[in-house]
Each structure stands twice: as structure tokens, then as C-alpha cells.
Amino acid sequence: MPRGDVVLTCETYEEAQAAVDVLAKADFPVSRIAIVGSDLKTVEVVTGKLSYGRGALAGAFTGAWLGLFIGLLLVIFSPTGTSVSFVVAAVLIGAGFGVLFGLVSYALNRRRRDFTSNIQVIATSYQIIADPDVANRARNLVAPGASWGATASAPVPPQGFTPPQPPAHPSDPPPAPPLEPPPAT
């Protein structure tokens, strides 16, 4: 487990990655940093129902890729010239074996798992941790409010905007705001 001082806590991995990118661009020794995810959760999103047809189709795709790979290897390392038809035959044979293995696999696991899904491990927060002797420099580079941390929701003043200036002398009245033309309709 990485040890050190917490430099920044982010809600998403992309935010933590952006902060480390800022440090890398500032010639910070990023080898002394770690991104640590906390409160891990497993999320499984069900993508569909399994059937013999889906099992056969998935097996065919896997077998075809394996057949293509083996066919190309044999063509590349063959001492005699082979043709494209050899590769096509290897893809078809691979797809055939893939269908067979896909059907057998589905038949054996049918009642235990009748659905397909994608599984992810997600953290609820990510901490950037740095070695104690470089942590303050890292904090200064990625401090909230620094130019890298500006979010899309932060208001951006229009180009040419100058904030109102206080009166030069306390007894002077404040300057009148400039007149703006009415918006075009």
C-alpha cells in the first residue's frame, strides 16, 4: 500500500488522472505519486440473456479470430508460398470449432448462469498520495482554483470584461455602469 500525504481527493478517476497529468507537465517527479481508490464496489451490468444461438455465435467469433491468427502465422513462417485461401480455410475451421466449443460450454453452464454481463470495480473516491518531502509542492501545483481545476460549470467572464473598480477616493461616487445596446432579436 502506498504511503505518504494526501495531495488531493477526487470523485472520479478521470479527475485524478488529470491532476497527475498537470504534475507531469510541471516536471514533477510523478514516480513518487500514487492514485488510490477507496470504498471499492463491484458493479455488474447485465447485457442480455444467454441462449444456444448466442453461445454458438460467440464461439464462432472467438474461433474465427483464433483461426485467423494461426492461419497468418502459418503463412508468414511457411517455407513455401501459400495463398489467401489457406487463411480463409483456417478462419472457417476455427469458427467451426468455436461453434462446437460455444455450444458445449453453454450446455454445461446453462442452469447456473443464463445471462451475459460486464463486471467493473469502481471506487467512490480517489486520493492522490505523494511522498511527504514532495507533497507540498504537489498540493501547490494542483490546488483547487489553479488553472487546471477550472470546471465547465464555473462562470467564465466574457472577453474584454473588466471588473468594476472601486472609487479612487472614498467621497467620490461610484462610476456609472457602461450602457449596453439592447439585444438583437
Side-chain angles (χ1 to χ4, degrees):
M1 185 72 177
R3 297 188 186 271
D5 295 342
V6 176
V7 173
L8 184 68
T9 301
C10 304
E11 290 183 20
T12 65
Y13 180 73
E14 289 76 20
E15 290 173 3
Q17 212 174 15
V20 173
D21 282 342
V22 168
L23 293 172
K25 290 176 185 168
D27 293 329
F28 186 85
V30 291
S31 61
R32 300 176 76 183
I33 291 177
I35 299 175
V36 179
S38 302
D39 300 327
L40 299 179
K41 296 179 180 180
T42 302
V43 178
E44 183 173 7
V45 178
V46 177
T47 57
K49 185 177 187 235
L50 271 178
S51 65
Y52 281 105
R54 273 191 166 217
L57 188 61
F61 280 126
T62 303
W65 278 112
L66 183 62
L68 177 66
F69 176 70
I70 292 172
L72 288 175
L73 280 178
L74 291 174
V75 166
I76 290 171
F77 295 113
S78 174
T80 61
T82 56
S83 65
V84 177
S85 62
F86 184 77
V87 176
V88 172
V91 169
L92 291 175
I93 291 169
F97 277 111
V99 167
L100 179 68
F101 288 126
L103 290 173
V104 169
S105 175
Y106 176 69
L108 292 176
N109 295 317
R110 184 169 174 215
R111 293 295 170 210
R112 284 181 278 181
R113 186 174 171 101
D114 280 340
F115 62 92
T116 60
S117 64
N118 293 326
I119 299 175
Q120 291 179 309
V121 176
I122 300 173
T124 57
S125 67
Y126 298 87
Q127 292 180 332
I128 299 174
I129 297 179
D131 289 343
D133 54 331
V134 295
N136 281 334
R137 180 173 172 225
R139 277 189 205 100
N140 290 336
L141 290 170
V142 297
S147 62
W148 80 274
T151 62
S153 61
V156 177
Q159 190 172 7
F161 173 79
T162 54
Q165 301 296 322
H169 191 271
S171 64
D172 292 342
L179 295 175
E180 295 182 17
T185 56

